[in-house]
Each structure stands twice: as structure tokens, then as C-alpha cells.
Amino acid sequence: MQLEQIREEVKHILSEKRYKHSLGVEKRAAELGAIYGVDIEKAKLAGITHDIAKEMTKEEIFAYAQENGIQLSPIEREIPKVLHGKIGADICKKKYGFDEELQKAIAYHTTGAPDMDTLAKIIYLADITEENRTFDDLPKIKSLSETNLEEAMLYALNRELVSKIKEDKLIHPATLETRNEILKNRLK
Ligand SMILES: [Fe+2]
Ligand SMILES: [Fe+2]
């Protein structure tokens, strides 16, 4: 299916606000994709669809996982919000025939994963740095994401972990594992 058709479908699935965010992520993913030499069409496809399952209820998420044989870890049952990545990836695989690279980019955008590839990192960072976002250290992450993908990921993951700790919120182990993986590679 073509990008325009998928965009149109996503527009009908999501609220206006989240569709606007998704368009922002598509645009930002294309910008970062150009810098890091990934397929721009793929960057756009992953960007527009990354939150396709974001507005499903907890019940819908659990029912979808059960019906489609998607394994959920105990921690994921405690923080089902993160599952819109995994579920969204499965939806796009079945609906649009997305390949593994696209599925990973969507699946990993909520928690990160130690085996993230360039496209997955781009989507993770595009989600945070798209044009509708506003937060204090946005300029810092934005400029890092354009110059050093690994350092930008480390900064974004640290920021995410610190905020979860400050708010006494559960942390998905993949976020910590991803951060450790990037640090290990950086020290090499
Ligand atoms: Fe999301
Ligand atoms: Fe998002």
C-alpha cells in the first residue's frame, strides 16, 4: 500500500491531535533518514504509523495480544501503555505487509531495545523531536539527533529513565538494556 493511502487510514484511526503528531514524526523521520542514509520512504512509513495502536484501550490491547499470539511479559502487563509499539507493529505487518525493519522501528519506539537498528533509533528520536513537541532540553536532543545518533539515543534514554525514577514509575527493562548497550559500544 502506498504512503498516501496509509496516511489516510491513520488519519481515520487516530484523533486529530495524534494524527498531527504522527505527521510530525513522519516529517522528522524523513529529515533524520536523509542525514543517516536510511530509505526515506521507510522512515516516512514508520513515522506515520508508529502510534497506530496508541488509542486502543488496555482491554483492546490485551485482547489483541491474546487473539494474535503476542507474548506479553509480566512488566508489560503492569505498564500496558508501552504495548502500543508491539501491537502497532503487528497491526502494520498484517494490514500493510510491513517488513521486519519497519516492525522493529514501530515496536521499539516506546521502550527501546538493545538490538535497535538505525531506522528504529531514528523513529525513537523523531517521536521526541518532531515539530509539535515542546520541552526544556528539546533543542539539545534535536541538535544531537542531527549530529550523533548514538549520543542522542543515550541522552534521550537517560532522560526517560530519570523522569521515570523521579515520578516513581515502573521502568521497562528494555529501556535500561538499550542504554547499557549504547554505553558499552561507546566505551569500546
Ligand atoms: Fe508512541
Ligand atoms: Fe508518538
Side-chain angles (χ1 to χ4, degrees), residues 13-183:
I13 293 168
L14 298 177
S15 63
E16 209 182 315
K17 192 174 171 229
R18 189 147 287 117
Y19 177 64
K20 199 176 162 204
H21 160 68
S22 303
L23 282 177
V25 176
E26 179 193 323
K27 188 177 160 198
R28 183 72 183 147
E31 287 168 11
L32 294 176
I35 296 173
Y36 296 105
V38 308
D39 184 325
I40 305 291
E41 184 79 2
K42 275 188 151 179
K44 287 184 173 184
L45 282 169
I48 193 68
T49 55
H50 80 288
D51 270 343
I52 199 165
K54 176 97 178 194
E55 289 172 358
M56 286 168 75
T57 64
K58 189 167 98 176
E59 290 72 28
E60 285 168 339
I61 287 276
F62 286 154
Y64 185 96
Q66 181 146 30
E67 282 159 22
N68 291 275
I70 296 170
Q71 297 288 323
L72 305 182
S73 68
I75 191 81
E76 286 170 343
R77 293 195 168 274
E78 296 294 325
I79 38 172
K81 256 182 150 182
V82 303
L83 287 168
H84 74 269
K86 223 183 219 187
I87 302 293
D90 193 75
I91 290 172
C92 289
K93 174 185 161 188
K94 287 167 181 157
K95 231 170 141 64
Y96 308 131
F98 276 14
D99 67 11
E100 208 171 314
E101 188 188 12
L102 284 168
Q103 289 174 53
K104 275 187 175 182
I106 298 169
Y108 296 166
H109 90 271
T110 54
T111 59
D115 66 328
M116 283 174 109
D117 56 18
T118 304
L119 181 65
K121 287 172 184 165
I122 283 173
I123 296 303
Y124 190 92
L125 292 166
D127 192 21
I128 306 172
T129 60
E130 61 96 0
E131 63 194 8
N132 302 292
R133 294 278 198 204
T134 47
F135 54 85
D136 283 355
D137 45 357
L138 179 63
K140 166 96 178 164
I141 305 189
K142 235 179 151 177
S143 74
L144 263 183
S145 67
E146 288 160 14
T147 51
N148 190 325
L149 201 58
E150 300 306 306
E151 289 302 312
M153 279 303 296
L154 182 62
Y155 189 91
L157 290 161
N158 279 340
R159 187 180 167 276
E160 171 73 9
L161 289 164
V162 167
S163 101
K164 290 279 182 293
I165 288 168
K166 278 188 185 157
E167 293 168 30
D168 279 344
K169 284 194 175 153
L170 288 169
I171 291 171
H172 193 291
T175 310
L176 192 56
E177 286 162 14
T178 311
R179 185 244 184 208
N180 286 347
E181 191 60 29
I182 288 171
L183 257 190

